Structure formats: structure tokens, C-alpha cells
Amino acid sequence: MYRKGSVVSADGTTIGFRQCGSGPGVIVLHGSMLAAQDFMKLAEALADDFTITVPDRRGRGLSGPHGIDYGIEREVEDLQAMLKETDASRVFGLSSGALIGLRTARVTPSIEKLALYEPPLSINGSVPVDWVPRYRRELADGRIAAALVSVLKGLEADRVFRTLPRFILVPPLNLVFRFQREAKGDDVPIPDLVPTMSADMQLVAQLADTTDDYATVDADVLLLGGSRSPAYFGCALEALTGVLARSKRVTIPKLDHSGPTDDGGPSEVAQSLRDFFA
């Protein structure tokens, strides 16, 4: 079970969150095409030792829209508002959530410990983006299943989607999506999450080749990755290891980019986080 709350960000946008547990505060930031619902197993695994706060990032679920001037600045303001509301000093982020945590730590001394799982920090074009125009065209045409396939094939983060042809993948997804327009409780249906990738790719573009910016981060940083993830995530982690003043890198066996989510290996990730945040 979780309790709900919300905070108002600097631009007036409401950021809603789920919260569970007790103890020192930890904020958990989800990545692309995800929402707070995807981190409930991770939150439960840490709840005996920490107060875990999992927001729906803006543009989904309990939170308000992205806004017309969306960018990394708005996401940083959202996280800062959450930190102030919860009095947390620990942050964990997956993927684009890791980018937000990293960028926020540059300007927010109250973040004492920062754990990042595979931030898509593009270095000399390392993160693939050639699929984005097709994905956005499919979104504009209302072809949500096709857009999702374009994302998963383009980012190469899922082995099944990487190898199977589109004509096999799209029809069953269309069928699944018909029954997922109505989600239970506070959950966000998958078809409503697919369009959020567009905003997250805006963050990837905005923060490309900014590695050296993070030399000023004062927090202790844990850099996490899965042994089965695409190589470009490892490139980002390696670059950050060389720049961050106090960092430790851990590779978790048998996990991929979805490792921290309910469908991945949240118990393994929780163990690394528990040791680091303690």
C-alpha cells in the first residue's frame, strides 16, 4: 500500500507522487514511457529502511502536463520541489530520470547521495536517434503500437523487439492496447505513456555532450548498469566515472535497461541501493 501526495513546482505544475515506508527520504525517478506504478516493487523492497517517494513525472498520471516551455529546467525544478517537500537527501533515477537527477545535483547541495541507473547521456552521438522522426510521425497518425515498436527497435533495449520484424510485433500490441485504455486506480495505461518518449528524447538532445558539466557534483554517486544492456549506456557510465569526484560503478549481472522496474530485477537493484543509501 502507498499514500498519495503532491507538490507544486516552480511554474505552477502539480507533481503527484506515491509514498511508502519510513526512515530517511529517497526520491525515485522513473524513465521514459514509465510512471510511478512501475517502481512499486522497488519501493516495497526499500520501504523497511527508507521513506520512498515515487512521483509521476510531469505529463502523466497524478501530475500536470509537460507545459509549453518543457525542458530539463522544468524537470530540475520538479525534483527540487520534491526534495523540499519530503526533506529527502537521496535520489535514484532510471534512464531519463537519471539524467534529471544528475542535472539537479549540479545545482542542489541538499542531494547527498545520488544513484543513477543507465542515464542515456549521449557522447559524440552514442545514443541512437535516427528512429525519432518515424516514431513522431506514427504518433501524429495515432499509430501508438507502431510508435512503441519504433522506440524499442531504435533504442535496442529489448532483445525480442530488436530481432523480430515489425509486421509480427505491431498487431498483437494493437490488440493489447485495446484492453489497456482503462487502467486500475492511479495507474497510467501503456498507450498513454508511449507519447511521453517524445519529451524525454528532447532531454537527451538537450543534454548531449555535457559530461564535463558534472565535475562539480558534490554528492556521492552510485553508477549502476545491467550486464545485458546496450553498449551505449556503458559508454555514458564510463565517461561519468572519469568526471565525477566521488563515484562507484556497479554492474548487475543478468539485468538489462529495465532492471529497476517491476518487470526487471527490482530486488537486485534494491540491494545495491540499500547498501549505498544506508
Side-chain angles (χ1 to χ4, degrees), residues 68-266:
I68 58 174
D69 60 346
Y70 177 78
I72 189 60
E73 295 83 3
R74 301 292 82 73
E75 293 278 10
V76 168
E77 290 169 354
D78 295 349
L79 178 52
Q80 288 175 328
M82 295 286 299
L83 290 164
K84 184 176 180 180
E85 174 72 16
T86 63
D87 198 30
S89 61
R90 299 159 174 82
V91 174
F92 168 69
L94 163 66
S95 195
S96 52
L99 287 179
I100 295 163
L102 184 61
R103 202 69 185 175
T104 305
R106 290 178 64 246
V107 293
T108 313
S110 62
I111 298 178
E112 298 175 359
K113 294 192 174 187
L114 175 67
L116 308 174
Y117 193 102
E118 298 183 347
L121 183 63
S122 191
I123 302 167
N124 297 323
S126 58
V127 176
V129 296
D130 56 338
W131 54 272
V132 175
R134 177 174 184 164
Y135 155 78
R136 287 178 171 155
R137 287 195 303 270
E138 289 163 338
L139 278 185
D141 293 339
R143 300 166 57 206
I144 303 300
L148 176 58
V149 170
S150 292
V151 171
L152 296 176
K153 279 188 167 294
L155 291 177
E156 302 179 353
D158 186 290
R159 291 186 178 185
V160 172
F161 282 85
R162 191 164 60 224
T163 56
L164 290 177
R166 298 179 66 93
F167 71 86
I168 291 178
L169 295 168
V170 173
L173 281 176
N174 274 321
L175 186 61
V176 170
F177 286 178
R178 288 183 188 177
F179 298 99
Q180 290 193 335
R181 283 296 177 186
E182 296 296 331
K184 295 181 179 179
D186 302 314
D187 289 359
V188 186
I190 294 176
D192 292 347
L193 291 173
V194 175
T196 65
M197 174 59 81
S198 185
D200 278 11
M201 290 309 297
Q202 182 178 333
L203 299 183
V204 171
Q206 189 176 353
L207 298 180
D209 298 313
T210 59
T211 309
D212 291 343
D213 291 356
Y214 309 113
T216 58
V217 171
D218 289 331
D220 292 325
V221 183
L222 176 64
L223 298 168
L224 294 169
S227 65
R228 295 180 175 176
S229 295
Y232 61 85
F233 290 118
C235 291
L237 293 171
E238 185 67 25
L240 288 171
T241 301
V243 167
L244 293 164
R246 295 192 302 278
S247 68
K248 176 183 179 181
R249 184 175 172 186
V250 173
T251 300
I252 304 178
K254 300 181 180 180
L255 294 189
D256 59 17
H257 192 56
S258 64
T261 71
D262 288 359
D263 294 329

Side-chain angles (χ1 to χ4, degrees), residues 44-59:
E44 291 167 3
L46 295 169
D48 287 343
D49 302 296
F50 306 98
T51 298
I52 307 298
T53 303
V54 192
D56 282 330
R57 285 174 45 213
R58 61 169 61 206

